[in-house]
């Protein structure tokens, strides 16, 4: 399935910008980046653990999310040993040179860990009120299927779009008969993302889209939406970077839910 036409996974220019901003924040605080303790992966996640104990992960599209096929067919786990015990300042430039989704997942897990290690929750406003920004007349788009989110939103908003790359029937089987038959709910593939995002008032997407780099087009197509929220363990990048792109709300497994401005609740309990 062709999801997006312009995504270029042969460079990590976007995450290089995030790293530059991150290193500047460390410089301003007068602390070193420190050392990488270990880098490793399991079926679905890539992990980076810092020597200070901070550990974060990023999704690598494995298991029942293998929409890109087997990305680990030629992967040698011993490759990860190359980064253990080294200064992050020397590891990150090497990770920035990796190509493809698996390489970006390792890179993002390292950036997430470095971001979490310097994150100050006092600088941001937590959000905890869902109904403040999802109104009955809202058109809501979720990029990434979560059954709890669909069940919660079906019938409460004017239109609910959910876009996912996985098999439609497999996803629908996870919903109640009431949700499946909800007239305002539509499950579609990513080939319709541009169309549905341009008409959305509220857009929520998972941090997986940072791994496959589709988050940039999602933000471009949803620029008219009042809420553009990203969530999940993969969405642990330095908040200043994500906010600079036009994201309005963040909820990460690495960082507390927070937003810039009004206080809101996490959009999807599946994050």
């Amino acid at each position: 399935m062709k999801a997006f036409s312009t995504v270029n996974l042969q460079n990590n220019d976007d995450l290089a910008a995030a790293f530059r901003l991150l290193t500047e924040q460390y410089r301003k605080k007068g602390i070193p980046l420190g050392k990488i303790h270990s880098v490793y992966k399991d079926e679905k996640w890539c992990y980076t653990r810092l020597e200070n104990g901070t550990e974060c992960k990023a999704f690598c599209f494995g298991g029942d999310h293998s929409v890109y096929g087997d990305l680990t067919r030629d992967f040698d786990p011993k490759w990860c040993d190359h980064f253990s015990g080294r200064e992050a300042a020397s590891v990150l430039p090497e990770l920035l040179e990796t190509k493809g989704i698996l390489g970006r997942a390792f890179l993002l897990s390292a950036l997430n860990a470095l971001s979490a290690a310097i994150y100050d929750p006092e600088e941001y406003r937590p959000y905890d009120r869902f109904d403040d920004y999802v109104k009955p007349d809202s058109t809501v788009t979720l990029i990434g299927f979560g059954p709890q989110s669909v069940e919660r939103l079906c019938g409460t908003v004017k239109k609910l779009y959910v876009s996912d790359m996985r098999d439609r029937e497999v996803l629908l089987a996870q919903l109640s008969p009431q949700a499946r038959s909800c007239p305002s709910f539509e499950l579609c593939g990513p080939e319709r993302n541009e169309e549905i995002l341009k008409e959305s008032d509220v857009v929520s997407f998972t941090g997986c889209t940072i791994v496959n780099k589709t988050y940039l087009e999602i933000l471009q197509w949803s620029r008219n939406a009042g809420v553009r929220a990203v969530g999940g363990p993969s969405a642990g990048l330095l908040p200043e970077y994500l906010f600079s792109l036009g994201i309005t709300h963040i909820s990460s497994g690495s960082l507390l839910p927070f937003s810039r401005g009004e206080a809101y609740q996490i959009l999807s309990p599946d994050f």
Side-chain angles (χ1 to χ4, degrees):
M1 177 184 296
K2 184 177 180 181
F4 295 83
S5 59
T6 62
V7 172
N8 179 6
L9 290 172
Q10 296 308 302
N11 70 66
N12 297 308
D13 293 348
D14 57 321
L15 297 184
F19 181 52
R20 288 193 296 271
L21 183 58
L22 185 61
T23 54
E24 178 64 15
Q25 292 296 314
Y26 271 82
R27 186 193 66 79
K28 287 180 178 179
K29 294 179 181 289
I31 58 177
L33 291 174
K35 290 186 176 182
I36 303 293
H37 175 274
S38 55
V39 174
Y40 63 100
K41 74 176 295 298
D42 60 21
E43 184 182 37
K44 293 185 177 180
W45 300 92
C46 294
Y47 300 82
T48 295
R49 182 178 179 84
L50 306 182
E51 283 205 338
N52 64 14
T54 304
E55 181 176 275
C56 289
K57 60 186 180 180
F59 198 66
C60 59
F61 291 91
D64 57 355
H65 288 74
S66 299
V67 294
Y68 295 103
D70 183 6
L71 298 176
T72 63
R73 183 172 53 249
D74 300 318
F75 175 71
D76 183 357
K78 293 181 179 179
W79 175 83
C80 297
D81 298 338
H82 173 63
F83 304 106
S84 298
R86 292 176 52 196
E87 294 288 341
S90 68
V91 169
L92 267 295
E94 291 187 28
L95 289 176
L96 282 165
E97 293 300 316
T98 59
K99 301 292 192 299
I101 287 174
L102 189 59
R104 277 181 68 89
F106 278 112
L107 169 59
L108 184 58
S109 73
L111 290 171
N112 287 346
L114 290 169
S115 298
I118 201 173
Y119 166 65
D120 182 359
E122 297 299 320
E123 297 179 0
Y124 306 97
R125 177 192 293 271
Y127 60 99
D128 58 6
R129 290 189 57 82
F130 181 81
D131 293 334
D132 282 354
Y133 63 97
V134 178
K135 306 293 186 182
D137 61 348
S138 296
T139 295
V140 178
T141 292
L142 306 180
I143 305 294
F145 175 86
Q148 295 179 35
S149 302
V150 176
E151 298 283 355
R152 180 175 183 173
L153 290 171
C154 267
T156 68
V157 295
K158 181 176 69 175
K159 186 69 178 181
L160 174 62
Y161 292 109
V162 179
S163 173
D164 201 287
M165 296 177 68
R166 290 170 289 171
D167 182 86
R168 172 185 172 85
E169 297 307 316
V170 171
L171 299 181
L172 288 175
Q174 301 177 42
L175 297 176
S176 66
Q178 293 81 3
R180 288 197 299 270
S181 61
C182 178
S184 61
F185 163 58
E186 186 172 350
L187 177 63
C188 59
E191 68 279 354
R192 289 190 58 198
N193 279 1
E194 181 175 7
E195 170 198 347
I196 62 179
L197 288 168
K198 285 183 175 179
E199 67 174 86
S200 297
D201 305 302
V202 175
V203 173
S204 177
F205 51 101
T206 70
C208 306
T209 63
I210 302 176
V211 177
N212 67 13
K213 210 175 179 179
T214 58
Y215 74 116
L216 298 176
E217 289 186 339
I218 290 170
L219 288 168
Q220 176 186 349
W221 293 332
S222 63
R223 57 183 176 270
N224 293 325
V227 172
R228 294 174 298 280
V230 64
S234 301
L237 282 172
L238 192 69
E240 284 79 2
Y241 172 71
L242 297 176
F243 285 140
S244 74
L245 299 176
I247 289 170
T248 61
H249 298 77
I250 306 168
S251 178
S252 173
S254 308
L255 308 173
L256 296 175
F258 56 84
S259 67
R260 182 165 286 175
E262 296 298 323
Y264 297 120
Q265 183 185 8
I266 181 171
L267 184 59
S268 169
D270 299 301
F271 282 160

